[in-house]
Amino acid sequence: MISSVLVANRGEIARRVFRTARSLGLSTVAVYSTADAAAPFVDEADAAVHLPGNAPGETYLRAEPIVEAALRAGADAVHPGYGFLSENAAFAQAVLDAGLTWVGPPVDAISSMGSKIESKKLMAAAGVPVLAELTPAEVSAADLPVLVKASAGGGGRGMRVVSRLEDLAGEIEAASAEALSAFGDGTVFCERYLAAGRHIEVQIMADQHGTIWAVGERECSIQRRHQKVVEEAPSPLVERIPAMRPLLFDAARKAAAAINYVGAGTVEFLADESGEFYFLEMNTRLQVEHPVTEETTGLDLVELQFAVAAGDRLPPEPPPTVGHAIEVRLYAEDPQHDWQPQTGVLHRFEVDSSVRVDSGVADGSVVSPYYDAMLAKVIAYGTDRSTVARRLAGVLDRAAIHGVRTNRELLAWVLRHPAFLAGETDTAFFDTHGVGEPADERAVRLAALAAALADAAGRRTGLPSGWRNLASQPQRKSYRVGETTYDVEYRLTRDGLVVDGDIRLLASSPTRVVLEVDGVRRVFEVAAYDGLVCVGPISLTPVPRFVDPATRVAAGSLVAPMPGTVIRVGVAVGEVVKQGQPLLWVEAMKMEHVIAAPADGVVGALHVEAGQQVEVGAVLAVVGEDV
């Protein structure tokens, strides 16, 4: 019997497992890094054990101190969550050797699927369709494009698309280096690349008595950097090709049976528009996107994990899938700037309670550079797909997310896109359709005006700030959104607000401004923080009237877009470079970012070296004119 469980993870998934554990009457134990000391999941656990350090390699990727923490806190089971050590066979064995219950699949099953190269051979032997593996040495021009993939791990790490044979060696080297850093194994392989494939996966649940469920399929085709951002159940492609579902389920059950699988797992396939599909990998753990399966089946997959670990039998058949569910991953990142992750204080996080929100953050949470940039998963369920998509987009619009840039606007745009609504959701979605539309110019200007009026209302004593008996110079305020600066000019006179356009001020306070715009009354909720003003979903940075010269950087300076680690320097001082040429590589929040030359020129200075930690805004290099 399990009475107390340690979750060897952090953030959203730790809170998710704790929620089910509490409902089952289990006590909970957290482990936490120094950076996570004030995180919500730590407070929600009945007991917590500190893992000194910040980086995953110092904390959540160290099996020995985690097992020691479980024993010290009196836990009798360990749930790995997803990521980190969740698919590490040695960790699972260490848990079992300590006399603890492992809430996961058998060690041998984890080992079997741990190498993508070996797992594909196993699946082919079991009759599961696979894409032919190509060794790097045998790739020819006829095979292009190919996908270079890490044999160990996933999540888009160690993956490169290669379209030119002359680029293959360099991309293999880069993918291998990234895989070695992320998973401790630099082995890579190649396979044929389907540029516009569909990512379809089947949820597996198996008990210790031979019953294997295929619990519905999910589609996770909308991805960035080979990482999923929108997931749904059931799959629009499978719904369109009904004969595909039984074949998928049969292949998934064969995959599980071939390795004597027990517990929750996911068999992932790459499919084309005709319904042909090929085995990608099997994730021997719970998936990030498991909530859409729960919403459409009524199951609690974590509860089933505990039951199977305790030796319980599953019923002969799983419940049917009913309705439709869509999940979006809310990331602290900037899609308009190469998906750069964002760090800082999340002043406010509030999402409408009409949908399910699995989050790792709360008001005041600090988004650090050490871990994945996902803040939360927002999941909507309903009877039909279009209604669910529309409702989820509306919830995202109304969410109050203050403090860090997120992909919220992009997600709402995807959910409303005609191609998405038509079920045309292949893995090249962003390549085909772009990454959203620019901010509505008029909406931003109205938000900037509301921000200025709210600021004036907060400073008024008696008469409104800027009020003059005889109107003279206008009040001026500037705000920045992205790289664009918006200047606001207004006058408050006896006759009211004077501003360009048909706009009347009806009421104002430091937190709320009511304007009549072209005869339509509009309300603007305003929240001001140090260096940030949020007006509805629009975040504005106040521009100071006078800039400290010491804060300026020299022309041609390349600055760090986020805190992180310099993992590679590709140039030397004095080297001639071309615009767009990669100069440095910075790793932050489980993603690798290229710092490229802004123009043709000569590298005049290098201020960093490989392995060095850098803060946001730090000058990394300077590129001067080629003289």
Side-chain angles (χ1 to χ4, degrees):
M1 295 292 292
I2 297 172
S3 62
S4 177
V5 60
L6 178 143
V7 177
N9 221 291
R10 64 177 298 278
E12 173 268 325
I13 187 57
R15 299 180 82 187
R16 164 70 188 91
V17 176
F18 289 162
R19 186 167 69 243
T20 289
R22 284 193 299 269
S23 74
L24 297 173
L26 309 181
S27 62
T28 56
V29 180
V31 286
Y32 65 95
S33 69
T34 302
D36 277 339
F41 79 94
V42 180
D43 285 339
E44 291 176 6
D46 296 313
V49 180
H50 181 217
L51 303 175
N54 291 317
E58 303 172 310
T59 54
Y60 301 108
L61 286 174
R62 295 185 63 204
E64 184 178 344
I66 293 175
V67 173
E68 289 177 357
L71 296 172
R72 195 184 324 156
D76 47 30
V78 172
H79 191 298
Y82 51 68
F84 295 129
L85 293 172
S86 63
E87 295 180 281
N88 186 299
F91 176 55
Q93 188 62 59
V95 170
L96 295 170
D97 289 345
L100 303 169
T101 297
W102 170 248
V103 187
V107 173
D108 288 346
I110 298 174
S111 297
S112 297
M113 293 294 105
S115 165
K116 291 186 177 65
I117 294 174
E118 295 306 314
S119 67
K120 290 179 73 172
K121 293 176 181 177
L122 275 172
M123 294 301 101
V128 179
V130 299
L131 281 171
E133 175 202 337
L134 301 168
T135 61
E138 67 185 8
V139 174
S140 67
D143 298 314
L144 298 176
V146 296
L147 184 65
V148 180
K149 297 178 71 173
S151 181
R157 310 297 304 278
M159 295 180 71
R160 300 289 191 281
V161 177
V162 181
S163 300
R164 303 191 312 165
L165 206 56
E166 56 266 37
D167 296 335
L168 183 62
E171 294 292 9
I172 287 174
E173 181 182 355
S176 180
E178 187 180 9
L180 182 63
S181 171
F183 314 120
D185 183 345
T187 306
V188 298
F189 66 98
C190 302
E191 66 184 16
R192 184 163 58 92
Y193 178 60
L194 300 182
R198 306 284 286 250
H199 190 120
I200 314 294
E201 60 188 35
V202 179
Q203 175 69 56
I204 288 294
M205 183 62 71
D207 64 20
Q208 300 177 29
H209 311 284
T211 298
I212 302 174
W213 282 359
V215 195
E217 86 282 344
R218 300 184 285 255
E219 179 156 347
C220 314
S221 299
I222 296 185
Q223 305 177 2
R224 58 98 169 102
R225 292 182 172 233
H226 306 293
Q227 292 180 318
K228 307 159 189 173
V229 291
V230 181
E231 302 110 338
E232 56 185 313
S235 156
L237 176 67
V238 178
E239 288 284 274
R240 178 165 62 80
I241 309 174
M244 185 179 175
R245 183 170 286 125
L247 296 175
L248 269 174
F249 286 7
D250 181 62
R253 285 189 291 262
K254 283 180 179 176
I259 56 172
N260 299 311
Y261 197 78
V262 174
T266 300
V267 186
E268 301 197 353
F269 300 95
L270 188 65
D272 61 25
E273 290 296 327
S274 72
E276 293 292 321
F277 59 87
Y278 308 92
F279 173 83
L280 279 177
E281 61 186 1
M282 183 173 183
N283 290 305
T284 53
R285 54 169 167 81
L286 200 65
Q287 290 279 84
V288 177
E289 57 272 19
H290 76 272
V292 294
T293 296
E294 294 184 325
E295 293 298 309
T296 51
T297 61
L299 294 171
D300 182 329
L301 293 175
V302 176
E303 181 176 346
L304 286 174
Q305 284 186 294
F306 282 121
V308 166
D312 292 357
R313 289 180 179 271
L314 293 172
E317 296 293 333
T321 295
V322 178
H324 201 94
I326 301 176
E327 170 183 292
V328 293
R329 300 190 192 186
L330 191 63
Y331 282 103
E333 66 183 14
D334 186 352
Q336 301 292 335
H337 292 85
D338 196 30
W339 314 97
Q340 288 178 4
Q342 308 291 297
T343 59
V345 177
L346 190 63
H347 299 293
R348 186 180 176 195
F349 183 79
E350 184 178 326
V351 182
D352 195 286
S353 60
S354 66
V355 295
R356 173 175 170 177
V357 181
D358 287 10
S359 77
V361 296
D363 292 357
S365 289
V366 175
V367 182
S368 81
Y370 301 108
Y371 314 114
D372 187 270
M374 190 175 76
L375 302 178
K377 305 177 311 196
V378 186
I379 308 103
Y381 170 76
T383 56
D384 66 276
R385 184 173 183 269
S386 60
T387 300
V388 171
R390 185 170 60 249
R391 182 153 56 89
L392 186 52
V395 166
L396 292 171
D397 287 343
R398 296 188 298 273
I401 307 167
H402 299 168
V404 294
R405 179 89 169 87
T406 73
N407 64 340
R408 179 253 300 273
E409 292 88 353
L410 173 72
L411 296 173
W413 173 80
V414 169
L415 293 167
R416 293 185 173 111
H417 198 284
F420 177 85
L421 294 173
E424 299 167 4
T425 54
D426 60 51
T427 54
F429 188 91
F430 292 128
D431 294 332
T432 303
H433 303 291
V435 291
E437 299 169 350
D440 181 83
E441 182 86 6
R442 181 165 171 77
V444 176
R445 291 196 176 280
L446 285 172
L449 175 61
L453 293 170
D455 178 61
R459 292 184 286 106
R460 74 171 58 145
T461 53
L463 293 175
S465 173
W467 187 90
R468 297 289 186 275
N469 186 41
L470 296 174
S472 57
Q473 294 298 313
Q475 298 294 299
R476 293 183 174 88
K477 196 90 172 164
S478 296
Y479 298 92
R480 191 173 63 252
V481 176
E483 298 174 355
T484 304
T485 298
Y486 295 86
D487 298 317
V488 177
E489 291 189 0
Y490 68 92
R491 286 181 291 171
L492 291 171
T493 70
R494 285 180 172 180
D495 298 323
L497 176 71
V498 177
V499 67
D500 289 342
D502 183 9
I503 302 174
R504 292 177 56 217
L505 174 61
L506 302 182
S508 66
S509 75
T511 59
R512 190 170 186 267
V513 172
V514 184
L515 298 175
E516 187 180 275
V517 183
D518 297 332
V520 179
R521 183 179 184 273
R522 299 192 182 277
V523 178
F524 299 84
E525 302 293 339
V526 182
Y529 308 95
D530 184 21
L532 175 72
V533 182
C534 297
V535 182
I538 297 173
S539 296
L540 307 119
T541 302
V543 178
R545 291 183 64 187
F546 305 103
V547 179
D548 182 354
T551 64
R552 296 173 178 167
V553 296
S557 295
L558 282 73
V559 299
M562 78 291 289
T565 303
V566 178
I567 57 173
R568 183 181 167 198
V569 177
V571 292
V573 173
E575 187 172 333
V576 176
V577 296
K578 295 293 184 182
Q579 181 178 6
Q581 178 180 336
L583 307 183
L584 305 103
W585 286 258
V586 176
E587 183 178 70
M589 301 169 86
K590 294 177 64 178
M591 294 175 68
E592 187 178 295
H593 303 269
V594 176
I595 309 298
D600 294 354
V602 174
V603 179
L606 277 173
H607 297 293
V608 293
E609 58 186 21
Q612 184 173 333
Q613 295 280 332
V614 294
E615 295 298 322
V616 63
V619 177
L620 307 176
V622 178
V623 176
E625 293 183 3
D626 184 359
V627 295

